[in-house]
Structure formats: C-alpha cells, structure tokens
Amino acid sequence: MAVNANERQAMTRALELATHGPRGVNPQVGAVILSPNGDILAEGWHHGAGTPHAEVDALSKLSPGQAEGATAVVTLEPCNHTGRTGPCAVALIEAGVARVIYALDDPGVLSGGGAERLRAAGVDVEGGEQADAAHRVIDGWLTAQRLGRPHVTVKWAQSLDGRAAADDGTSQWITGPDARADVHRRRAQADAIVVGTGTVLADDPALTARDGDALLPSQPVPVVIGSRETPTDAAVRRHPHEPLFFDTRDLHQVLADLHARGIQSVFVEGGPTLASAFVAAGLADRVLAYIAPVLLGGSRWALTDIGVSTIGEARRLTVDEWVPLGADLLAIAHPAVENEGVV
C-alpha cells in the first residue's frame, strides 16, 4: 500500500519531533500515531537513554484500545530487542497497530529486525519514507553504529576559483554574513569541532558556535590536531569545553578516541591541510563547500593533495543540496555510491 499524504505529513512531523530528543548514545527518534482516518492521535520522541522509545512514548498518551487499527509513523525501524526498555515492535503489536511506516532500517545486530517481526504478526509495514531526511537527523549515530567512529563533516570556504585565502594568507572574510551564520548553526549541531595547529596559530579561532556575539546553547568540543604547541593564551583555551589536543597524524586514532568519549559527529573546519588529510584518508562522510563569488588566484588552494593523480581516481560526490546564502552558495555533498566510504 502506497504512503498517502497524511502519512507523509506525519513523517515530516515525526522528523521534527525527533530533534527534540538529546544527541547521545541513542538515536534521536520521533513517532506519530494516526487514527484509521488519518487524524493524529498521539506524538512522541525518545527523551534519552533509559527512557521509553518514541513509539512507546506516543502510545503511552493513548487510552487502552485507542491504537487499535491505527498507523504508527516513526523515523527509525521499531526495535526488536530488550535492553533498558522492551521491544517497540512488540509494543506496537500488543497495542493493535495495523500499519507501520518508518524511514530508516535499524542497523543494529540485536535491535534490527523489527519490521520482520511486525509483518509476521500481520502488521502492514512500509520502510524508506523520507529516508534521506531521517538520515540527516541521526547521521552521527548511524555512522557510529556502522563504522565505529564519529560521522565526519569536512567544511571549507572558497573563492569561485577554489582558493581558501589570498596569497598573503588573509582569508577573513571570503564569504558573507549569511554563510558565516550558517556555519555557526552547523557547528552547534556537532559534538566536536576539529582544526589543525596551523589554523590555531594563524587565525586564533575561538571554535565556539555563536549568534552574533552570543554563544549558542549547544557548543561543540574543540579538538586540535598537530605537533606544534598551542599558545597558553590561545582563544581555544577559553572555550566553554576543555579542548582536546592530539599530537598525531593518525586520524583514525583520533576518531577512535573521540568515539570512545561518546562523540558521534565531528565538524572539520580547518585548514586546507587537515581537510585534505581527512578526504585523502577516506574519512569525509559529508562535504560542506561555501563558495563565494570572488576571485583570488594564487597558491592558497582550499584543498591540497588528496591522493588523486589521474582523473580515474577522482573523489566523486553526490550533491544533496545547493543552498543560497546571501551572495554565496553552499554545496552539501556526500560520497557517490561508487566511492562510498572513499571520499
């Protein structure tokens, strides 16, 4: 049975509800329960580890029997295991839900399989609704589940001719205020922000997420990679979170350490050497390229060596979205299917 307009709207709402939950070891998940005629009966989301999952949170707001014949719309496949809470698939079956629509398959070895369990109980199940949007909500958690490391976003700003700075090294500001504000919003959505010691020494960045001069409520943990000493009076040392310093070139080691600390999403912001190293190592899950309509020329490229010596080795991307930001343009992209896990 095809997904109808009411169910699509319910998924959009469930995705919004998912963002109300905290980022952490559990995914952000939202759920909406629809009556047989398409009216919203209840809404829920996962409030954090040890609390009811989104489906159970929504069902708890209904009286006994009210979910009989209803449709549950949820952003992640209902789980199929008992942890701190019981299996959501069983809760939906016992509530009498007749139809379940979900966005993403649960990749967990133990928690996956909820869709099969629902179908075996006679529940109509549809997966994949608005999967791309759902992936963006929990991409950090999904990467951590599948690869055992944080999800990595590599960001840079460049001129139209691909430079990150003028030949004398000046780079503030290539992009305009709208693009810079967008960067700060995205910083606030990440668990950690990563730069190299070269950027710290050249620009002395605060690595905070701000709205104008005010700090945003959510701040990424600052991470500095490189062997050069960070000055004692560097702005990063005044960050709300204690900075993490890594004297290594082994990015896999850095990500493993961050993963062990519970960090699921990393925002790599500088500079060209570090961004290129993440790309060359196949660790860029998403690319954000802010493109300004200026020409700089010279040798200060936004990317340097990424291990491509011939066109056949090109790191091909799929563009998810082109976002106008004032006079600038943001390209949001991820590795093309043939390069999955390579960019």
Side-chain angles (χ1 to χ4, degrees), residues 162-170 272 296-303:
R163 271 68 173 186
D167 244 3
D168 65 353
T170 55
L296 293 175
S299 60
R300 303 277 186 160
W301 296 97
L303 287 183

Side-chain angles (χ1 to χ4, degrees), residues 57-71:
D57 183 45
L59 289 172
S60 70
K61 299 167 185 175
L62 300 177
S63 56
Q66 195 176 358
E68 193 73 37
T71 294

Side-chain angles (χ1 to χ4, degrees), residues 273-300:
T273 300
L274 187 64
S276 301
F278 270 94
V279 172
L283 294 172
D285 301 301
R286 177 185 295 141
V287 166
L288 301 179
Y290 292 83
I291 305 167
V294 296
L295 300 174
L296 293 175
S299 60
R300 303 277 186 160

Side-chain angles (χ1 to χ4, degrees), residues 302-314:
L303 287 183
T304 57
D305 182 14
I306 59 170
V308 173
S309 59
T310 180
I311 194 65
E313 299 171 349

Side-chain angles (χ1 to χ4, degrees), residues 122-154:
V123 177
D124 179 50
V125 180
E126 294 281 347
E129 172 62 23
Q130 298 185 44
D132 288 346
H135 195 289
R136 288 192 289 271
V137 173
I138 58 169
D139 50 15
W141 180 83
L142 287 169
T143 301
Q145 292 293 306
R146 293 168 176 164
L147 302 177
R149 64 163 174 81
H151 183 275
V152 176
T153 296
V154 177

Side-chain angles (χ1 to χ4, degrees), residues 7-15 73-74 102-103 129-130:
E7 292 165 342
R8 282 193 293 273
Q9 288 179 344
M11 181 61 79
T12 299
R13 174 59 178 164
L15 289 166
V73 180
V74 59
Y102 69 91
E129 172 62 23
Q130 298 185 44

